[in-house]
Amino acid sequence: MGAASGRLGVLTSYLATRNRRFADREALLAWQRPRLQRALRRARATFPGYREVSSDDLAAFPLMDRETWLAGFDGLNDRGLNLQECLAASRNAEAGRGFGTTLRGVSVGLSTGTSGRQGAFLTSPAERSRWAGTLLAKALPHGLLAGARIALVLRAGGPLYAAVGSSRVRFTFIDLYSPAEQQRAELVAFAPTVLAAPPVLLDQLAAARRDGRLAISPAAVYSIADVLDADVAARIEAGFGVPVGQVYQATEGFLGITCAHGTLHLNEDLLVVEREDIGDGRFTPVVTDLFRTTQAIIRYRIGDVLHPAAMPCPCGSPFQAVDRIEGRDDDVLRLARATGGTAPCFADLVRGLVLGTSGVEDFRVEQDGPDHLTLAVSPEAAWRAAATVLESGLSGAGFVAPRISPATFTPPDPTRKRRRVSRTWQ
Ligand SMILES: [Zn+2]
């Protein structure tokens, strides 16, 4: 597909997304139903991995997570590609920072999981155009006609964005791994109206802007590729003087985005989202992609901890509203209950306690045993107070207080996913 048809594909999905309106939840479900049926019927006919599935009902398809999906990789793409050749080709390309490898007409990207084995994601030119058009439709505050200069600071980019540029909308891709001074010089030269970057980097850029070291004034700022905590969001908003939105994007797909009211909505016009209840009202999304055809994303368990919004959003969207993303479900601590047994202790409780301690600016907590945590605090002088608050807060929430040992705080690395709370003990 050439640049012209690529641009047409972007525009088509841009317009379709902008023009799509659902009166209510029922209208959305009625719209999803035939598209889901089509996707599932095609999956059984196309992907060798689904030959044994006995019907076109979603429930007949196996639940997958990252591990099982990667194990079944060879039978879950329509190009007959195997995981080893995709990984090998992609690693060669990344080593030269050339970005983007093409095999049998599809781009191969490496996934950036925080743990586990490395994965590969395949996208056709049509799928990338659809992705870009949908993203533009949902992310541009004033639409395409108003024009935009969009700067994306990401780990990998390449052909995904290059195909999208036009006279009204310009993209620049800035390598997350390039030196900070170079990133800032490129940003100033480009003068973005829309800036999207991982939250750790936005935090640093906001500080630079506040100190007069970064003369850019984007009208919209988006956090991508990692969890955006409320304290970090507040600093970014103060630094740029505009609200920070969230693009909830994983290699598995474009999962959600913040609306004009600041609420994160799941993209239920791209995905069917089943909710796997993980306790305390939280859920992890199990997604089925309605449009991707190169690779099967069917009943794929994303593994993020989502906290659904209690109230419908005033924007009127029938898409599931999410109060916050709390990180990965392996970031959930498992602690003994005072009443017996163990229970999940969600990252936001820990975060609230430690960041609520006076003097604490940043922290990291790791559970490395059934009753042991390490706590790193910045500045170090606040460690004792933070440990005391954490211990009493966990007791207050009904847990047997774990032992807490000090660890050295290292500042967050913008090129890596930030995990303030994690569990290495299984
Ligand atoms: Zn909304």
Side-chain angles (χ1 to χ4, degrees):
M1 191 161 75
S5 58
R7 236 172 261 145
L8 183 62
V10 172
L11 190 62
T12 305
S13 74
Y14 169 85
L15 291 172
T17 305
R18 283 259 158 169
N19 294 332
R20 217 174 271 143
R21 292 277 178 280
F22 302 103
D24 50 29
R25 190 85 196 156
E26 283 64 43
L28 169 65
L29 297 178
W31 179 91
Q32 280 184 344
R33 216 166 288 127
R35 288 163 180 82
L36 177 63
Q37 283 314 306
R38 206 177 305 145
L40 297 180
R41 206 174 308 127
R42 181 185 177 278
R44 287 178 66 208
T46 309
F47 301 118
Y50 287 133
R51 275 203 196 116
E52 308 297 313
V53 174
S54 58
S55 87
D56 293 340
D57 283 343
L58 187 56
F61 284 75
L63 277 170
M64 296 217 167
D65 59 15
R66 194 184 147 74
E67 283 303 309
T68 50
W69 189 82
L70 284 175
F73 184 97
D74 305 1
L76 295 174
N77 72 82
D78 71 356
R79 308 290 155 132
L81 288 166
N82 74 59
L83 183 58
Q84 293 321 314
E85 61 183 316
C86 292
L87 289 179
S90 192
R91 280 185 191 131
N92 285 338
E94 288 229 350
R97 307 296 305 151
F99 299 121
T101 297
T102 303
L103 283 178
R104 287 177 215 162
V106 296
S107 283
V108 183
L110 291 178
S111 69
T112 59
T114 47
S115 56
R117 57 199 281 218
Q118 195 153 36
F121 284 81
L122 311 175
T123 48
S124 68
E127 285 169 327
R128 289 195 298 281
S129 294
R130 173 181 285 279
W131 173 86
T134 310
L135 182 63
L136 290 172
K138 291 176 183 246
L140 291 184
H142 306 295
L144 264 182
L145 289 179
R149 290 185 304 279
I150 303 167
L152 291 145
V153 191
L154 274 181
R155 184 180 163 276
L160 200 57
Y161 312 112
V164 183
S166 72
S167 53
R168 284 191 202 279
V169 176
R170 287 171 54 212
F171 268 94
T172 193
F173 166 73
I174 296 171
D175 188 351
L176 185 55
Y177 286 90
S178 62
E181 303 75 43
Q182 188 187 327
Q183 289 171 349
R184 285 171 201 177
E186 286 178 43
L187 283 171
V188 169
F190 187 70
T193 59
V194 179
L195 170 65
V200 173
L201 188 73
L202 286 179
D203 199 6
Q204 296 176 357
L205 293 175
R209 188 175 183 275
R210 220 170 26 234
D211 302 344
R213 290 180 288 121
L214 181 69
I216 59 170
S217 292
V221 174
Y222 283 102
S223 158
I224 45 175
D226 208 349
V227 172
L228 176 67
D229 285 339
D231 62 312
V232 177
R235 284 200 299 269
I236 296 169
E237 291 182 358
F240 283 104
V242 293
V244 57
Q246 267 192 93
V247 174
Y248 183 21
Q249 160 81 41
T251 31
E252 293 88 350
F254 176 24
L255 305 175
I257 189 165
T258 308
C259 72
H261 291 260
T263 307
L264 181 69
H265 291 275
L266 299 182
N267 288 332
E268 293 182 279
D269 54 348
L270 300 175
L271 309 159
V272 167
V273 183
E274 298 174 85
R275 294 168 46 151
E276 182 187 321
D277 184 8
I278 50 174
D280 274 4
R282 292 158 172 87
F283 72 95
T284 188
V286 176
V287 304
T288 297
D289 196 297
L290 294 171
F291 298 107
R292 277 170 75 163
T293 55
T294 308
Q295 270 182 309
I297 302 285
I298 297 173
R299 305 199 83 196
Y300 187 113
R301 187 180 189 279
I302 295 293
D304 289 333
V305 177
L306 269 53
H307 201 278
M311 304 279 287
C313 181
C315 77
S317 167
F319 298 168
Q320 172 74 54
V322 173
D323 250 353
R324 55 193 183 277
I325 305 168
E326 294 175 2
R328 305 287 304 177
D329 63 354
D330 49 4
D331 298 344
V332 176
L333 308 184
R334 288 212 69 87
L335 297 175
R337 298 292 294 176
T339 51
T342 64
C345 171
F346 292 98
D348 70 330
L349 172 64
V350 175
R351 192 156 49 227
L353 290 168
V354 180
L355 287 179
T357 309
S358 116
V360 174
E361 284 162 17
D362 208 344
F363 77 99
R364 208 153 297 154
V365 162
E366 184 182 305
Q367 180 178 11
D368 57 3
D371 60 353
H372 185 250
L373 308 179
T374 61
L375 169 66
V377 166
S378 168
E380 222 178 293
W383 190 88
R384 176 62 55 195
T388 306
V389 169
L390 180 59
E391 191 180 340
S392 65
L394 292 175
S395 306
F399 295 103
V400 176
R403 291 176 298 119
I404 302 173
S405 312
T408 308
F409 183 84
T410 46
D413 175 350
T415 66
R416 306 197 46 174
K417 283 188 186 285
R418 177 191 183 88
R419 305 176 88 194
R420 276 174 160 169
V421 178
S422 61
R423 173 166 50 90
T424 52
W425 165 76
Q426 291 305 316

